[in-house]
Amino acid sequence: MVAFLVVLLVLVIVALVLLASSVHILKQYERAVKFHLGRVGDDAFGPGLLFIIPLVDRIRRVSLRIVTMPIQSQGIITRDNVSVDVSAVAYYKVVDAVRAVVAIESVSEAIDQIAQTTLRSVVGRHTLDETLSETDEINRSIREILDVQTEDWGVQVTLVELKDIQLPESMKRAMARQAEAEREKRAKIIAAEGEALAAGELAHAADVMMAHPLALQLRNLQTLVEIAVDKNSTVVFPAPLMSTIQELGAFLNRETAAAGPLASLSPSQPNGASTPKAGTDEAGALR
């Protein structure tokens, strides 16, 4: 009787173990690939409750969530023979659980290796300037190549981004000098354009002042107001240089014209006495 109870107890325990191993609960983001005597079905199971036959069925859980996979830094020589270290990050997800299990042994390792080789290949076809400025195009090219390669594995690469680009120190210094020279060139061009605009405005202002002489006087008064600050002992009387020179020249011309007739007359004697002419003396003698 005791032996019968022991055997019954063992059978109950084995039944419970088999029952526990035959029931599986799959989360919302999980799918199960079931192998029945080594053969896999066409579709994956889940989510929810899944029953299998112990010792006959085997299951393989597959996550459908997006996986973040960093791509190790790669030493790459660009098309213009510049050595750079480029690292990136890739995002992928499983869209077909059956192919992801059957077609390849390890999805993550395969994508990691092919992502490294694709990164070196794509960046090596670009120059350094293109690598730094056209990162969106490079990211799209890498993603498209990876997506084509992983399509047979039931995996979709959703995004690839260049994370870091390390340049040699000599190249950094050269780029800094180039940027500085570019800034100086732009500053000189802007200054020259400002001078040209200022010259045009000054010419326009000169035309206005020539047409309206009082405008120059108003400008002189404004200048005096700006100069007349507190505790300023300097007094400035503005005088237009060209008009002053012209007025001085006109004055000298008038004086010269007025002095012309007087120069034809004989010079005066000392003490104010004039030298009498011969006709005058004879007239006096006749008197």
Side-chain angles (χ1 to χ4, degrees):
M1 187 65 180
V2 176
F4 175 76
L5 293 177
V6 172
V7 172
L8 181 62
L9 180 61
V10 171
L11 292 177
V12 170
I13 294 175
V14 170
L16 292 177
V17 171
L18 293 177
L19 180 63
S21 63
S22 65
V23 177
H24 297 273
I25 299 177
L26 301 177
K27 298 182 177 64
Q28 182 66 35
Y29 56 84
E30 288 182 335
R31 297 295 183 270
V33 179
K34 185 171 69 171
F35 292 87
H36 180 72
L37 295 177
R39 295 181 179 181
V40 66
D42 295 333
D43 297 327
F45 296 90
L49 190 63
L50 175 64
F51 293 94
I52 64 172
I53 301 175
L55 305 177
V56 176
D57 295 335
R58 295 286 185 273
I59 63 170
R60 177 81 174 271
R61 295 173 181 263
V62 179
S63 176
L64 302 183
R65 292 181 295 182
I66 295 177
V67 179
T68 303
M69 184 188 67
I71 303 175
Q72 296 179 0
S73 179
Q74 303 294 311
I76 305 171
I77 298 178
T78 61
R79 195 175 64 185
D80 52 351
N81 297 324
V82 178
S83 178
V84 295
D85 292 333
V86 182
S87 61
V89 59
Y91 299 86
Y92 70 91
K93 64 179 180 180
V94 176
V95 294
D96 191 336
V98 175
R99 286 193 294 173
V101 173
V102 176
I104 192 167
E105 181 179 359
S106 177
V107 172
S108 60
E109 292 182 3
I111 295 179
D112 184 22
Q113 295 299 320
I114 195 172
Q116 294 180 21
T117 58
T118 304
L119 177 63
R120 287 195 297 267
S121 175
V122 173
V123 175
R125 294 197 298 264
H126 293 76
T127 62
L128 178 61
D129 292 338
E130 292 173 350
T131 303
L132 296 176
S133 61
E134 300 178 3
T135 54
D136 293 338
E137 181 67 24
I138 295 175
N139 294 335
R140 184 164 54 253
S141 299
I142 297 174
R143 186 191 64 79
E144 291 176 354
I145 295 174
L146 291 178
D147 205 16
V148 172
Q149 296 289 337
T150 59
E151 183 179 1
D152 295 336
W153 306 340
V155 177
Q156 180 184 5
V157 178
T158 59
L159 182 64
V160 175
E161 290 288 341
L162 296 182
K163 185 168 62 174
D164 189 18
I165 300 176
Q166 293 291 336
L167 301 176
E169 292 298 329
S170 58
M171 183 58 62
K172 291 181 180 180
R173 291 192 296 268
M175 294 178 65
R177 291 194 299 268
Q178 179 183 0
E180 184 178 356
E182 183 69 22
R183 292 287 182 179
E184 291 180 357
K185 182 187 75 172
R186 291 170 56 185
K188 291 180 180 179
I189 292 175
I190 294 174
E193 292 176 352
E195 292 292 338
L197 293 175
E201 294 298 329
L202 288 175
H204 178 69
D207 295 337
V208 174
M209 290 182 180
M210 183 178 294
H212 303 281
L214 291 179
L216 182 59
Q217 299 298 329
L218 294 176
R219 181 59 183 167
N220 292 335
L221 293 177
Q222 184 180 1
T223 303
L224 286 176
V225 172
E226 294 176 357
I227 294 176
V229 296
D230 296 338
K231 297 180 181 181
N232 189 0
S233 59
T234 303
V235 179
V236 179
F237 294 96
L241 180 60
M242 297 305 297
S243 61
T244 302
I245 294 175
Q246 291 176 358
E247 292 176 358
L248 182 59
F251 173 75
L252 293 177
N253 291 333
R254 290 195 301 269
E255 292 295 326
T256 303
L262 296 177
S264 61
L265 300 177
S266 59
S268 301
Q269 294 292 333
N271 300 326
S274 302
T275 305
K277 294 183 180 180
T280 306
D281 295 340
E282 293 177 354
L286 291 175
R287 290 190 196 126

